[in-house]
Amino acid sequence: MRRSVRRAMIAGAAAVLAIALVPAVNAFAAGSVTATFTASSDWGTGHEVRVTVTNGSDAAVNTWQIAFDLPAGTTISSFWDADVTSSGTRYTATKKSWAGPLAPGASFSWGYIGTGAYKAPQNCTINGGSCGGGTIPTTVAPTTRVVTSAPPTTTRPPTSSVPTTIQPGGKKLLGYFVEWGVYQRNYHVKNIVTSGSAAKLTHINYAFGNVTNGGCAIGDSNADYDKAYTAAESVDGVADTWDPGALRGNFGQLRRLKKMYPNIKVLWSFGGWTWSGGFAQAAANPTAFANSCYNLVEDPRWADVFDGIDIDWEYPNACGLSCDSSGFASFRTLMSALRARFGSNNLVTAAITADGTSGGKIDAADYAGAAQYVDWYNVMTYDFFGPWAAQGPTAVHSALTSYPGIPTAGFYADNAIQKLKSKGIPASKLLLGIGFYGKGWTGVTQAAPGGSATGPAPGTYEAGTEDYKVLKARCPATGTVGGTAYAFCGGQWWSYDTPATIGGKMTYSNNQGLGGSFFWELSGDTTNGELIAAMRTGLG
């Protein structure tokens, strides 16, 4: 991931309306299964709703089905994480097969986009009984329900200790949010909601904090916690204030996002391509480094925003923007110190190289030894090839598999995953990386991969790099190779992932037993989040 810059649809306040439950003696008492509807956004001509199914019984619920009526003027236009059918104004939502049984005390959320202003569903039943609760495992006995404006709970639950349990609703789906995106890219936390992506994500990595003087440091104080958002710009439609102690900027927006979407956990990522040079000093005193990072991440001003830390060291005991010679064990020692300081109630993760060649970057550091201390690794299975080789040959930058003519043998995702697994790293601790951008050359005359070029193709922010949202229209895909799309247009040659190739990669992730997938980065997707939707659908 690079710190360099590869570098509002919904107006007004978001309505928070819920079908609340008539309280039992114990909210999770044996014999109750409930459904709660929350309108997380309402922009007059449409709205987004999150539906949470909670098992308050002392036995697992193997399946559930919710039926409800929508008032006149309201229909469902799209949905996710449940199978939804309709007959007239009556809608039926059924648990997807991949979701698995709902454990006692656990919750599962699915969602939909509705047309028109939000109106509370009527005549709601779950497994034949009232959505307010009842008896299982047979049918749900009816009980009354009321409508309230109370928001959903915002209590931060403790994170499970290593190894992590995948959240209800499927595999991990993690996206990077870049702090500098709020400037030229004009991408803000609100866009995560307006794109329909917030309900699909399980984790967000906030990139990047700096690594300097042997410790963790703020990357951009204005973007991080000082930039003031107007009501129209804010994720929840409420303007920032300059009151003493008020948290503004991305941190403040992420805090509000988590209140709206309690399913999302946020990690603060440190390093990246530009700021990885500081890890050499950090590795010399890992305990001091871990202490500084903990003190920054858990600063009382924003401790509730973050659920852990992510380390993006490019690369331990190898070369990136600069070269590191701290030794084979340095990465393991660093991650051990971070786990000791952050404890089991915080996530500790790392983005790592996908160079699985013999004697390559995976072999240069003790990733296997460090695996015991991390919840998972984000394997950066992209940027294998690009226009830094200005004359080519053209090649897909994020191949899943090898293909005839690949410029460097072993530079593809499956080779990296198999290499990491062969070292004893559990597959469930590996997340497959997806780039929401393309790499391209100009001066190309050959449509197929392997052609010569004269240099990088022009890009909006960086030569040779362009967002998917731009490329899908400007240079549509003309073929696929190695599980990735490529495009030839007007003397330019680009490679990038599309919803179709992402579907294949998510199938691969599932078949390999990986913990899920992640992507770099949110602003590269379309305004309706089609790549994230493809990832969520593919992962299940």
Side-chain angles (χ1 to χ4, degrees), residues 391-454:
Q391 279 69 54
T394 57
V396 291
H397 80 88
S398 56
L400 176 64
T401 59
S402 188
Y403 60 90
I406 191 168
T408 302
F411 263 31
Y412 55 92
D414 179 58
N415 191 50
I417 295 299
Q418 300 311 322
K419 180 91 167 211
L420 292 164
K421 289 168 68 173
S422 72
K423 291 180 177 291
I425 300 173
S428 61
K429 286 195 175 188
L430 301 175
L431 271 59
L432 185 73
I434 302 292
F436 280 10
Y437 60 91
K439 290 292 184 183
W441 289 261
T442 192
V444 182
T445 59
Q446 177 178 312
S452 61
T454 59

Side-chain angles (χ1 to χ4, degrees), residues 371-382:
Q372 62 188 302
Y373 305 115
V374 304
D375 289 275
W376 65 80
Y377 285 136
N378 298 317
V379 188
M380 295 185 285
T381 46
Y382 40 72

Side-chain angles (χ1 to χ4, degrees), residues 27 40 45 78 149 156 159 177 196 200 272 318 320 362 390 450 487 489 520 529 538:
S40 52
T45 58
S78 62
S149 60
R156 172 179 166 183
T159 302
F177 181 97
K200 301 176 181 66
I362 288 178
C489 60
W520 178 274

